[in-house]
Amino acid sequence: QLLDDELQTLIKSQLDNVFKHLPQYSGLVARIQPEIKAFVRFLLWTFSHRNNTASPGNALQNLRYRNELKYSNVSVGGKYLPMLLKIHGDEPTRLQRVLHGVGTVLIPYAFDRIQNRAMISQWSSLPEDDYRYIVNKWLDTLEKIWSAAQVLNLFVFLYNGKYRSVLDRILFLRLVYDKAEGGRNV
């Protein structure tokens, strides 16, 4: 995840450099930052997860996603198969990949856009009966719940090493080695 985030930052900084030399677009670029971030996330998702290939960061680490729903009950002679074994059809389903895209591209974009609008319009200082104030409070609550879920998932991940993120846990997508004999390039 960290390598993919660094790649997103690198691509976004290159886009920012393009617009830096066009001063007439400086105000526009500041207003569409959530769209630029979503576009970069969408590009990375399109060229990796949508096509059922590893993201650039996962490919460097010799990792791929596996559908744990298909893999969890596989056993031979009462013994579960080794974790690195690749079986036919263990890749994520189309629905899992689409939901992963929604969770990594659309939901963060919508949250960033609404949060940006709430900050600019100062929804937190509106009267308590205004719907925008209520939406802002719900956003704050959802952000706190999501942060707590991420911390809890981190502890569970450190205990059993199964799901790297909350989204991976919800979708039953587990990162496993792509090739058992391959080493990591990082």
Side-chain angles (χ1 to χ4, degrees):
Q1 181 70 27
L2 186 60
L3 293 173
D4 292 333
D5 291 344
E6 288 297 322
L7 183 59
Q8 287 177 13
T9 303
L10 181 67
I11 293 171
K12 187 180 171 307
S13 69
Q14 292 301 318
L15 285 173
D16 289 344
N17 285 339
V18 167
F19 289 113
K20 180 174 70 173
H21 299 293
L22 302 168
Q24 64 268 25
Y25 295 114
S26 63
L28 173 69
V29 172
R31 285 194 310 265
I32 63 169
Q33 282 300 316
E35 284 80 9
I36 292 172
K37 284 171 53 177
F39 176 70
V40 170
R41 282 187 196 125
F42 177 74
L43 281 177
L44 289 175
W45 178 81
T46 299
F47 292 116
S48 58
H49 299 294
R50 193 196 92 195
N51 297 327
N52 204 20
T53 58
S55 67
N58 290 343
L60 283 172
Q61 297 179 69
N62 186 33
L63 297 173
R64 67 177 179 88
Y65 275 113
R66 177 175 71 195
N67 181 358
E68 282 294 295
L69 290 176
K70 290 183 179 180
Y71 197 81
S72 61
N73 296 325
V74 176
S75 65
V76 174
K79 296 180 182 177
Y80 285 100
L81 296 174
M83 298 313 261
L84 297 178
L85 186 62
K86 195 174 192 179
I87 61 172
H88 179 69
D90 71 346
E91 63 271 349
T93 64
R94 176 174 285 161
L95 178 63
Q96 284 175 315
R97 293 192 316 259
V98 168
L99 290 176
H100 192 270
V102 168
T104 57
V105 178
L106 291 180
I107 291 175
Y109 163 71
F111 192 80
D112 286 348
R113 175 50 59 204
I114 293 170
Q115 210 171 30
N116 193 4
R117 183 75 174 147
M119 185 180 66
I120 290 171
S121 301
Q122 298 178 348
W123 288 3
S124 61
S125 62
L126 293 172
E128 289 186 17
D129 59 344
D130 192 315
Y131 78 94
R132 293 170 293 185
Y133 179 84
I134 295 168
V135 168
N136 189 49
K137 285 295 181 190
W138 274 101
L139 285 176
D140 289 344
T141 303
L142 284 174
E143 189 174 18
K144 290 174 186 173
I145 290 170
W146 185 252
S147 296
Q150 286 177 322
V151 168
L152 182 62
N153 185 71
L154 175 66
F155 289 135
V156 174
F157 176 73
L158 292 174
Y159 177 73
N160 68 10
K162 212 168 182 186
Y163 299 107
R164 173 191 59 134
S165 70
V166 176
L167 182 62
D168 292 351
R169 185 172 297 281
I170 291 169
L171 297 176
F172 297 102
L173 293 174
R174 183 176 181 181
L175 282 172
V176 294
Y177 287 115
D178 189 27
K179 298 174 187 74
E181 70 278 350
R184 297 182 346 170
N185 294 328
V186 178

